[in-house]
Amino acid sequence: MSGQYHRPHRWAWWTERPGYVRFMIRELTSVFMAGYLVVFVMTLAKVGGGDAAFAEWIAALGSPGWMAAHVVALVAAVWHAVTFFGAVPQAMPIFLGEKRLSAPVAMIVMGYGPWLTVTAVILWWVLR
């Protein structure tokens, strides 16, 4: 006998606390984002395959099933980003001299501000 005690766990141990459930949902969003990355890489491969292959691929991505997949991936990406921005002030606090920046201000400075700035630049570039 090794002397180690292995406490038994239920298979759904993470359902016992709301914080665990939110954490597991956040981790699940990574799967959707990885799937969307595969679609993106396939799109790049179709670009290299010629105009006809790319046009056919884009037409296929416009189907209702793919549109639903795009919406699910977008929701997953937004949820992942928002929860990440909420965790950043605890993992990497910002100090101005001896004073620590409050969590909401840190989330804006390190998360939402750059996110909105990059989004605005992309929208400006696309819509010009």
Side-chain angles (χ1 to χ4, degrees), residues 6-71:
H6 295 284
R7 192 171 92 185
H9 288 285
R10 295 183 316 124
W11 73 271
W13 59 268
W14 51 272
T15 60
E16 295 171 4
R17 291 187 178 172
Y20 292 165
V21 172
R22 286 191 305 272
F23 174 78
M24 293 302 277
I25 290 171
R26 182 183 191 287
E27 294 302 306
L28 182 63
T29 62
S30 300
V31 174
F32 291 103
M33 290 170 56
Y36 202 78
L37 180 62
V38 170
V39 172
F40 180 70
V41 169
M42 290 173 61
T43 302
L44 292 178
K46 297 295 181 178
V47 167
D51 291 340
F54 180 67
E56 183 180 328
W57 177 249
I58 293 300
L61 288 179
S63 71
W66 275 111
M67 290 301 215
H70 294 313
V71 169

Side-chain angles (χ1 to χ4, degrees), residues 38-118:
V38 170
V39 172
F40 180 70
V41 169
M42 290 173 61
T43 302
L44 292 178
K46 297 295 181 178
V47 167
D51 291 340
F54 180 67
E56 183 180 328
W57 177 249
I58 293 300
L61 288 179
S63 71
W66 275 111
M67 290 301 215
H70 294 313
V71 169
V72 168
L74 177 63
V75 169
V78 169
W79 177 262
H80 196 87
V82 167
T83 56
F84 178 78
F85 295 155
V88 165
Q90 285 78 30
M92 193 172 132
I94 299 176
F95 288 92
L96 297 174
E98 295 292 319
K99 186 176 183 210
R100 182 176 176 171
L101 220 59
S102 69
V105 173
M107 287 188 307
I108 291 169
V109 169
M110 295 171 56
Y112 294 113
W115 188 19
L116 292 174
T117 302
V118 169

Side-chain angles (χ1 to χ4, degrees), residues 115-128:
W115 188 19
L116 292 174
T117 302
V118 169
T119 301
V121 168
I122 290 171
L123 283 174
W124 172 81
W125 185 71
V126 169
L127 298 176
R128 65 183 169 111

